[in-house]
Amino acid sequence: MKNTPLAPTKLYKPCNIGHLTFDSTTELEDIEITVGQERAMDAIKFGIRIHKNGYNIFAMAPAGTGTLTAVRQLVEHEASRQAIPSDWCYVHNFRQPAIPLAIQLQAGQGKTFKADMEELIDELSVAIPIAFEGDGYRSRAGEIESQSRQREINEFSELRDSAANAHIMLSETPTGYSFTPATEENQEISPEEFNKLDKDKQHEIQQAIIGLQERLTQLLKKFPTWRKEAKRKLQALNRETAELAVNHSIDELIEKYAKQPAMLAYLQDVQKNIIDHVGDFIPHGEKMFPFMEMPQESDPFKRYRVNLMVDLSDKKSAPVVYEDHPNYSNLLGRIDHQAYMGSLVTDFTMIKPGDLHKANGGYLILDARKLLFQPYAWETLKRTLQAGEIRVESLERALSLISTSSLEPQPIPLNVKIILCGDPLIYYLLSEYDPDFHDLFKVAADFDHAVAREDASLNYARLLATIARNEKLRPLSQNAVARVIEHSSRMTGDAEKLLIHLRSIKDLLTEADYWAADNGHPHITNSDVQQAIDHKIHRLDKIREKLYENIHRGTVLIDTEGKVTGQINALSILQLGEFSFGQPSRITATTRLGSGKVVDIERETELGGAIHSKGVLILSSFIASRYSRTSPFSIAASLVFEQSYGFVEGDSASLAELCAILSSIAQVPLRQDLAITGSVNQLGHVQPIGGVNEKIEGFFDICVKKGLTGTQGVIIPETNIKHLMLRWDVVHAAENHQFNIYAVATVDEALELLTGMDAGAANEQGIYPPESFNGQIAAQLQHFTMLKKDFDKKSEL
């Protein structure tokens, strides 16, 4: 019979102080926070360095593991070896104003180009007015106007002289011009005097007036043509003057950017537009050039501005951008509007860059969960990556919710590496339900939450030192580091592992630093660390305290002494936020003559989960295959978690349920001073379970409240020994033989501990010794079988 409890040395794996060759962490150098993440780091390096479409990266890790920090460090290191990408700007499209032009420039050149354009406009704002106010321009413009007026005057003078020679006067009236006859002394003849003239004279004068009127009509028709000629001459003069003023300034820019075709074409358009709209540069130009096209907007110079979308003048390497709020506008950019004369207007200067613009040519890091929570952000990112270009448009327009005219900026070619950070569940869900996901994110970097503890103590100490320095905390003493290492193993639930969940480690060090300050310690000591652990548990354990109080007061029935048939103490675990604890539960079983069915009351009442139901089916299969291979399985059994009013899930109670059923069949009582946990397979092997430390401590706390007897303890799977990192009070109780931890590998070993009987092994004929526990089971089942046969015969009669 195997009933020896585990040695106290197996209940807790202390840190080997000999490996910590320092007095405090001030002596330790910093270390990369990616300790133990070689697989994930290699995947990220591969994804970063392969320059093919679709090889974006998904970094899988739970929140708080430091994945984002690790990724940023690695990406920034890789980006530092790469060339700075191009600047990008939007400028006015003089040919199609609704489609602003996207211009690519060398890194840092965008800022220079923007300044050059501003300087050009400032210079022309001075040079153009000076050119048009100069004596040369005024003289030539006056000459054109004078010649035009003189020509009209000369023609009128000639007509007037011709009229005078015919003794006819040309006079101007409010409604036009009129001809009247005159005497030889050029005195106007009144209508009465004209009527006194003979008919031939009257006819002669009338014919002369008709001829002069025809000449006047022809002359008046020529005036608009002559004035147009004057206007064209003045326009030619203005253009010539403007070209002289503009070309000198803009030719320098054209020469400076001559090797860039897009820039050259744009500057030529600017040159032409300035000359065509030279009146914009002259104060009161509408009076000076009434015949020229005048500006309609409030700021006519806005069309010559440069909207610098991406400015990398202050960068020394490829950009690395992290977006904490990856919504549609932040990713893609937006087009703003402003109120003007009662309506909303926009132009190319109101195009704002998004993260894809800023990270173009570099790296964009996003939180996958936050991205998926933003409406249309995920679909927009996919569409942009597939198209290979950034197309700025409002979400309303992209969804065809509005049809008003707006800007359609030229798309900018996209060359960016996307790194998504998120839970593994998100990765697997996207893999399953999004057919585009693997086309775009071909590289998965899987981060681990724990690393092997063996030989990692010193590196882990360096990690603690790095975190303490980064967070401006006190240094840790040697013993404090040892205590953190031990607690780290406890948090992983494995004595052979160390937790690398950075948020949890940082929180622990931060709280330990607070208690060190409160205790007046210059360094964080092991007592400060323990105080931080204890205080956090105290903040969260109200529900545990209430549950244990109910057990102590007898409201929830749990026995810690004596023996009862068909009744056993099972152990479960409750997870409430960051806090988990073990809870003893009473399981009872009843058996009777039946048809071989084991009724799981939890499942029948829909309070049991699928995994729990599976465990019950496995144990029923074990009973039938072990004890009724050659005869009918003629029992009915019922199982239930007593005083359980919530959902039951998991198979960690299947060993306890099996023992309770066998106890009921054999009518052999089970020890109530022992609690048991573990799952069982069809062959009777005990399998490991989770939360073993919390489960043991839960029953220990109940036993302490009711009084330790020295016989109490917990039975656990043998395969869980490597996970034991129990509280010190539990270990001390085991050392003093006040509480015992037993490890079993089979059902028989558990039954021997619970019953005090030898389980018994079957001989070659499959028969168990009659005095053994298994022998009593076999005998009772055989008795049930005989009863069933007799009952069947009586039923036939």
Side-chain angles (χ1 to χ4, degrees), residues 384-444:
T384 304
L385 291 174
Q386 289 166 342
E389 61 183 21
I390 312 170
R391 187 178 295 275
V392 182
E393 60 181 348
S394 67
L395 181 57
E396 297 85 356
R397 188 177 182 85
L399 297 176
S400 300
L401 298 179
I402 59 173
S403 58
T404 56
S405 61
S406 183
L407 297 182
E408 297 181 17
Q410 279 189 347
I412 294 177
L414 179 65
N415 176 26
V416 69
K417 185 74 71 172
I418 306 292
I419 301 101
L420 292 183
C421 299
D423 289 337
L425 178 61
I426 295 177
Y427 175 84
Y428 295 123
L429 287 175
L430 289 173
S431 299
E432 181 69 21
Y433 295 108
D434 192 332
D436 300 325
F437 179 67
H438 282 298
D439 290 335
L440 299 173
F441 292 88
K442 297 179 181 294
V443 180

Side-chain angles (χ1 to χ4, degrees), residues 702-717:
I702 298 301
C703 292
V704 169
K705 280 187 173 291
K706 291 196 171 190
L708 292 176
T709 63
T711 63
Q712 296 149 335
V714 173
I715 300 172
I716 65 171

Side-chain angles (χ1 to χ4, degrees), residues 607-619:
L607 289 176
I611 297 176
H612 176 261
S613 299
K614 176 184 176 183
V616 173
L617 292 174
I618 288 174
L619 68 88

Side-chain angles (χ1 to χ4, degrees), residues 71-90:
V71 168
R72 290 183 72 168
Q73 288 180 353
L74 186 58
V75 170
E76 286 171 356
H77 175 73
E78 188 66 26
S80 65
R81 305 190 304 174
Q82 298 181 11
I84 309 174
S86 302
D87 286 351
W88 283 93
C89 65
Y90 275 115

Side-chain angles (χ1 to χ4, degrees), residues 541-601:
D541 74 342
K542 185 188 75 171
I543 294 178
R544 180 182 69 171
E545 183 179 313
K546 298 297 182 183
L547 288 173
Y548 290 180
E549 181 183 348
N550 287 334
I551 294 174
H552 179 61
R553 296 174 63 185
T555 305
V556 176
L557 301 178
I558 297 292
D559 291 337
T560 58
E561 295 182 67
K563 293 185 177 182
V564 179
T565 300
Q567 177 178 299
I568 195 168
N569 292 325
L571 297 173
S572 58
I573 188 169
L574 293 182
Q575 180 77 42
L576 300 174
E578 295 182 344
F579 182 60
S580 60
F581 61 92
Q583 180 189 14
S585 300
R586 173 178 288 181
I587 295 177
T588 59
T590 59
T591 55
R592 56 205 173 276
L593 179 64
S595 58
K597 182 178 180 181
V598 177
V599 176
D600 176 12
I601 295 178

Side-chain angles (χ1 to χ4, degrees), residues 28 99 124 173-175 191 302 346 400 414 437 473 490 562 593-594 605 669 694 729 734 750 753:
L28 301 177
I99 307 177
L124 293 179
T173 66
T175 58
K302 183 182 285 189
T346 188
S400 300
L414 179 65
F437 179 67
L473 306 176
R490 166 60 185 252
L593 179 64
T605 57
E694 290 81 0
D729 55 344
L753 284 167

